[in-house]
Amino acid sequence: MPDQTNEIRYVSTRGTAPSLGFEDVMLTGLARDGGLYVPDAWPRIAPSEIGALSGLSYAEVATRIMKPYIGSDIPESEFEGLVEAAYATFSHSAVAPLVELAPNQWVLELFHGPTLAFKDVAMQLLARLMDRALTKRGRRATIVGATSGDTGGAAIEAFAGLKAIEIFILHPHGRVSDVQRRQMTSCDAENVHNIAVEGTFDDCQALVKALFNDLERRDRLSLAGVNSINWARIMAQTVYYFTSAVALGAPERTVSFCVPTGNFGDVFAGYAASRMGLPVGRLVIATNTNDILARTLKTGRYEPKDVVATSSPSMDIQVSSNFERLIFEAAGRDGDRVCTLMKALADDGNFTLAESELTAMSDLFLSEAVNEKDVGETIGSVARETGYVCDPHTAVGIAAARRVARREEPMVTLATAHPAKFPDAVAAATGSSPGMPERLQQRLGAEEHYDVIANDYDTLTEFIESRTRAIQEPAT
Ligand SMILES: *Cc1c(COP(=O)(O)O)cnc(C)c1O
């Protein structure tokens, strides 16, 4: 028997779902007790191993950083091949290049994938890992996901045409940008289904959550999730924290990151990198006008308000799902405590963190909210001062980073979308439209395919059940 004692298992933030291995966690998404899966212990990468990443390709670093999370579920050489293929879809040879705006002020470009948003980094890998896992098991799955804009396009691009997977993507009708909608709806693959819900992103997310908590249906449809709560996505996102910090002098040097944040997946990956041993100075949670996380970090009180539409729609979120993972950590990995807080949120519409929990978070995290006026001014001033043109999401990050940067320490702002995805906001701020990459131009002209449905659970389930080819017949 192989020695399995060092393998990572994954446990739920709510403490009662069974612990699972990597592939099961990836195929499951949300835990059956409503919680999110996290590794039972953080793998440590020694300083010498971090130093040894210097000079390696992105795919090589990715393989090394993710290996402990995957354990023996995938043979190493096969995993290497999947990682190589995933990052070969990126148009920049560095995959995630760093750009210097000013001394110690950096931008990490995560938008060189097929849909020009950082979601591609995780989704390109996730699709390959899921297809492999399902095919190996002789199974099919129904993927249902909610998107505030970029996840949907990235998921559709990554999963289109895969035989083992039927994919349904919900987006808030009329609340994603024209480019974002067309990126999703211009796909004509048979296994892709776009659903425009008459509601907000939070409504879409609530529908998907309800579906995952409907355990009988979840089994019958063989549901799998690809939203940012999927552990494999967080795992894939830890990689660029390593590549960029190493390029800037880690492990000898400490590097801080500023992350345009919505569902807290990307910045939680930074937390994971820190727990793995990367010397991360501070993690700045940059929010737009939808500032629930900035308010929570300042006051301890987590209280969703109405979602306000902004120029950075992928961050127009008030219920930040992955924040539950940080609460679990800050509460000393106490699943009962997480359940208590989540119940308060469901019953009373808010909860308040304990002093000790808030202190634990404040060790590493701080948060800045950036209003619409500052977003526009930042796009304009960065372009004038440095010649660098950024999109509104990245501008939220740069504005927040400039407020809190310390002169002596590198601060890396994650650039999460290509400016060409938000031409109107960029033109308004700089006076000229960003150039549109050919890849994007081709897609936007194609015919659109989507259905509009009411914000209603039964309507959604009927829609999915009548279309998926992944229904599990009861065993005979
Ligand atoms: C998804 C997204 C974000 C927010 O990332 P989270 O992991 O949800 O916090 C920021 N910017 C862009 C462009 C995105 O697509």
Side-chain angles (χ1 to χ4, degrees), residues 117-119 150-151 228 237 260-267 314-315 317 391 393 416-417 422:
F118 96 98
K119 302 289 194 296
D150 291 321
T151 308
S228 67
Q237 292 169 9
T261 294
N263 238 333
F264 209 76
D266 204 4
V267 74
S314 295
M315 297 160 65
I317 287 170
D391 96 291
H393 301 79
T416 51
F422 301 91

